[in-house]
Amino acid sequence: MFKFQRLFEGPGLRLCVVASVLAVGLSAIGARAEEAHAIAMHGKPAMPADFTHMPYANPDAPKGGRLTWGVLGTFDSLNPFIVRGLAAQQMRGYVIESLLARGNDEPFTLYGLLARSVETNDERSFVTFRLDPRARFSDGKPVTAEDVLFSWQLLRDHGRPNHRQYYAKVARAEAPDPLTVRFDLAGANDRELPLILGLMPILPKHAVDVATFEETTLTSPIGSGPYRVTAVKPGASVTLTRDPDYWGRDLAINRGLYNFDEIRLDYFREANGQFEAFKRGLYDFRIEHEPLRWHDGYDFPAARSGEVIRDTVKPGLPQPSEFLVFNTRRPLFADIRVRQALTLLFDFELVNRNYFFGLYSRVAGYFAGSDLSAYGRPADARERELLKPFAAQIRPDIMDGSYRLPVTDGSGRDRTKLRAALKLLSDAGYDLDGTVLRNRATKAPFAFEILVTTRDQERIALAFQRDLKRAGIEPSVRTVDPVQFDQRRLAYEFDMIQNRWDQSLSPGNEQSFYWGSAAADNPGTRNYMGARDGAVDAMIAALLEAREHTDFVSSVRALDRALIAGFYTIPLFNVSEQWIARWNRIERPKTTSLSGYLPETWWSKGQPQAHQAK
């Protein structure tokens, strides 16, 4: 067993840490104790024991001012830990804290927050957290081991599906004293689980009613974080006010963060109206996702004068990728040959040139632009060993790295791709009847609905609709508001949607939530395609058990190959940059984190502009 302890001395609360390495890399350095102050999934923490702030934060950032955040959609709850309702997601971190906090310059390393120490062994068969005795909830009551055990039990039994899945892996939990919690993880075979528990939100036992926890609520939650909810306008806005008595304001992990006195979340139900509000200065920044708008939509007076600044950020994570997602719960998309055929019919070259100014690239797989991607790489020996039991379902060209997404001639009338698609559809039981593709047995036409919610999604869907009509397929495109889109997506009430799964450099338990068989019929997960694939499940288990980084990378690549081979989605494009527009009253650090933009590191640059005050 290896421990670390934090000692606070003097008026500056000087941080001294004596620790061991709590990482997968322990097996490489033996059982010898070493100084450390954090826990990493693989390797050692990047920050030294005497760090004063994170490199992506400005420790001298001024405090004060307001950040107005424009959010697309609506909300009817302040509880983000349940399936029911649409919650204001900024409750995590800003209002409710976890035992440990992420280092955003590393793939997956956690530093002390509510927990002042952590203990585990090389097998990670247990984890013990010792709480910081100074930690307090916003009502002044101390954070205790009883609150930690309560939170674990509550979320395990009543939380979102991912929480229930993760926390159910704990064999036993106990509190040896009021500031210590020990979780027995024997049999879990999950080396990420100590970190997952470190990120568990801690709720106050004295202020949560278990009987009503799964009901939506607009009651301001009590948390231990830097902000409190001070005003709520149902469906319209939420106001967070910085807590002057925040217990953790002097922690090194927090220096330079949470600089605004007030954060207001203003909600917009429609994307164009949201953008028009930004042009008028009604909120402070926006993350742009539409290349057409980024290319020519910022030609308005404030942008030309420099009042609105446009930043292009290149994060170090796998590139966010957009997909058209087949709902394989629908009989129409249950046959992989149908999914392969529709993949052939999507004309990316035409769409990218005409709609996106050639700004996008396209990669199959779910970890694009990173070392974790299997696309274009031959499988190594470890991957082949992992996938050997499933060799019949993984195409040889996916294994040897020669598989490529179809490339059209860009004309919108690629006859070669059309013939290949019709051959696959015929093999699946569909034939052309004049200009209509019909099921050979039932004579029912091949028809489905593409559900969209933004202008870009609608453009892509309409372009795909045109491509599909050439094969006798009659898709309809239905545009709904973001609220209805989210509701139908979470309930799997769609035929096809556009979606993206943001990935980290340390994928873990969330992969089961994204594509595990157990999540396929559980509403509220992100297995939107309804994948039930033994190869996928086995590869997720392998990456969770991996000790060495090389084995971990091979396991993730093997997962990528299994997902590619399933043709659960049509890859649309990969985004290599983050596009951020902000009014010049908001400033951000010069250094960007590995994960990209972080609003919690920004600060107010003097007084608001006159038009904002109006």
Side-chain angles (χ1 to χ4, degrees):
M1 299 180 190
F2 307 94
K3 302 180 181 180
F4 69 78
Q5 184 178 8
R6 184 189 302 165
L7 305 175
F8 294 90
E9 302 175 359
L13 294 179
R14 183 167 59 87
L15 178 63
C16 300
V17 181
V18 179
S20 72
V21 175
L22 297 174
V24 173
L26 271 169
S27 59
I29 63 173
R32 179 172 57 86
E34 292 189 358
E35 291 188 357
H37 57 293
I39 179 170
M41 183 62 196
H42 299 97
K44 297 182 181 182
M47 299 301 295
D50 59 351
F51 83 102
T52 59
H53 66 281
M54 285 298 178
Y56 48 80
N58 174 12
D60 300 318
K63 305 292 185 183
R66 171 200 285 173
L67 178 69
T68 303
W69 199 321
V71 183
L72 185 62
T74 188
F75 71 96
D76 59 11
S77 177
L78 297 180
N79 184 355
F81 309 117
I82 58 173
V83 172
R84 188 175 298 173
L86 296 172
Q89 294 302 313
Q90 288 78 5
M91 297 300 101
R92 281 296 299 265
Y94 287 88
V95 178
I96 297 169
E97 293 181 312
S98 52
L99 294 164
L100 307 175
R102 280 185 180 272
N104 288 292
D105 252 2
E106 301 163 69
F108 196 8
T109 299
L110 304 181
Y111 295 84
L113 188 58
L114 285 173
R116 70 181 294 177
S117 71
V118 61
E119 177 183 349
T120 190
N121 57 1
D122 185 34
E123 291 75 23
R124 297 196 174 181
S125 61
F126 78 93
V127 63
T128 298
F129 298 99
R130 292 180 177 84
L131 300 176
D132 191 320
R134 302 170 304 163
R136 294 288 186 276
F137 291 109
S138 60
D139 61 1
K141 295 186 181 297
V143 180
T144 68
E146 192 175 9
D147 295 306
V148 177
L149 289 179
F150 169 77
S151 300
W152 165 68
Q153 293 172 327
L154 179 71
L155 296 171
R156 180 197 62 186
D157 299 337
H158 302 282
R160 295 183 68 85
N162 55 323
H163 292 142
R164 299 186 191 206
Q165 177 182 328
Y166 301 159
Y167 305 150
K169 294 184 178 184
V170 174
R172 188 166 62 96
E174 60 182 352
D177 62 62
L179 292 178
T180 304
V181 179
R182 186 184 192 277
F183 294 98
D184 181 358
L185 312 179
N189 295 320
D190 183 349
R191 296 187 60 78
E192 189 187 38
L193 195 51
L195 286 83
I196 294 293
L197 291 168
L199 290 176
M200 179 172 63
I202 304 304
L203 306 170
K205 182 178 180 180
H206 65 273
V208 175
D209 183 352
V210 177
T212 60
F213 180 72
E214 293 189 59
E215 300 175 6
T216 60
T217 179
L218 293 176
T219 301
S220 300
I222 293 176
S224 61
Y227 289 87
R228 295 176 295 178
V229 176
T230 53
V232 178
K233 294 183 178 179
S237 70
V238 178
T239 300
L240 310 178
T241 301
R242 192 152 57 89
D243 185 352
D245 299 319
Y246 172 48
W247 75 273
R249 62 182 178 274
D250 293 319
L251 295 179
I253 190 69
N254 285 332
R255 290 200 182 106
L257 274 61
Y258 309 118
N259 301 308
F260 297 96
D261 284 345
E262 185 176 284
I263 296 176
R264 193 179 69 207
L265 311 173
D266 283 347
Y267 284 78
F268 299 85
R269 281 184 169 266
E270 192 270 325
N272 289 332
Q274 181 194 28
F275 181 58
E276 291 302 316
F278 176 74
K279 290 165 63 175
R280 294 170 55 196
L282 298 182
Y283 61 95
D284 293 316
F285 77 97
R286 62 181 282 112
I287 309 304
E288 188 57 74
H289 297 294
E290 295 193 15
L292 177 61
R293 180 175 286 148
W294 186 251
H295 187 269
D296 61 11
Y298 285 80
D299 186 22
F300 54 90
R304 290 194 296 268
S305 70
E307 287 182 278
V308 168
I309 300 168
R310 295 201 294 166
D311 298 321
T312 298
V313 173
K314 292 195 174 186
L317 302 180
Q319 296 172 2
S321 303
E322 294 283 343
F323 302 88
L324 285 174
V325 183
F326 297 104
N327 187 350
T328 64
R329 303 171 187 85
R330 300 286 203 255
L332 189 67
F333 294 140
D335 193 316
I336 192 173
R337 294 168 295 186
V338 170
R339 305 195 298 270
Q340 290 171 328
L342 269 61
T343 300
L344 284 170
L345 291 172
F346 181 72
D347 194 336
F348 168 75
E349 284 66 35
L350 182 67
V351 169
N352 193 36
R353 183 183 69 242
N354 289 354
Y355 297 160
F356 301 139
F357 306 95
L359 292 173
Y360 288 151
S361 59
R362 189 182 187 218
V363 172
Y366 300 82
F367 304 92
S370 76
D371 194 45
L372 301 175
S373 175
Y375 187 64
R377 286 189 174 99
D380 60 28
R382 177 59 177 158
E383 290 177 73
R384 292 185 179 279
E385 179 186 353
L386 289 169
L387 290 168
K388 186 176 180 179
F390 311 98
Q393 67 189 73
I394 311 293
R395 289 172 30 165
D397 58 345
I398 294 176
M399 289 298 296
D400 66 25
S402 63
Y403 170 72
R404 296 294 184 273
L405 286 168
V407 177
T408 71
D409 60 15
S411 67
R413 299 180 299 277
D414 192 317
R415 301 182 69 84
T416 302
K417 297 294 184 296
L418 177 60
R419 282 194 295 269
L422 288 173
K423 173 63 169 61
L424 283 167
L425 289 166
S426 179
D427 293 344
Y430 296 90
D431 295 320
L432 274 174
D433 178 13
T435 60
V436 178
L437 188 72
R438 296 185 184 276
N439 183 292
R440 191 177 300 138
T442 66
K443 303 305 178 184
F446 193 118
F448 65 95
E449 179 184 86
I450 306 175
L451 188 70
V452 302
T453 188
T454 69
R455 183 175 62 171
D456 254 11
Q457 289 181 4
E458 184 181 42
R459 271 200 302 269
I460 291 172
L462 290 173
F464 192 35
Q465 181 186 57
R466 181 201 60 225
D467 296 336
L468 294 172
K469 284 184 175 180
R470 295 178 57 243
I473 298 171
E474 288 293 333
S476 60
V477 177
R478 182 175 181 184
T479 304
V480 298
D481 63 46
V483 176
Q484 187 177 356
F485 183 85
D486 281 342
Q487 289 172 338
R488 289 185 56 177
R489 178 173 59 174
L490 289 171
Y492 313 135
E493 294 177 355
F494 62 86
D495 298 326
M496 176 179 282
I497 58 169
Q498 184 173 328
N499 189 68
R500 87 182 209 187
W501 291 267
D502 290 341
Q503 294 282 10
S504 74
L505 291 172
S506 184
N509 275 276
E510 78 285 347
Q511 303 303 302
S512 295
F513 190 62
Y514 290 174
W515 6 82
S517 296
D521 293 318
N522 195 355
T525 76
R526 298 192 70 189
N527 187 349
Y528 301 125
M529 67 273 282
R532 300 177 191 83
D533 189 325
V536 169
D537 294 338
M539 297 313 104
I540 294 172
L543 71 88
L544 291 175
E545 295 170 7
R547 291 192 175 209
E548 303 297 334
H549 183 67
T550 53
D551 283 348
F552 173 75
V553 171
S554 294
S555 301
V556 179
R557 289 181 184 172
L559 170 63
D560 203 24
R561 292 185 204 278
L563 289 169
I564 294 171
F567 287 87
Y568 298 109
T569 64
I570 300 174
L572 295 179
F573 52 80
N574 309 111
V575 184
S576 61
E577 301 172 333
Q578 293 174 343
W579 299 326
I580 306 166
R582 58 185 166 92
W583 284 85
N584 62 4
R585 55 183 174 261
I586 301 299
E587 192 57 85
R588 68 181 187 89
K590 292 184 173 65
T591 303
T592 302
S593 75
L594 182 73
S595 59
Y597 74 96
L598 294 171
E600 57 265 37
T601 66
W602 300 352
W603 63 89
S604 179
K605 187 181 177 183
Q607 295 299 315
Q609 300 290 341
H611 62 269
Q612 186 197 35
K614 292 179 183 178

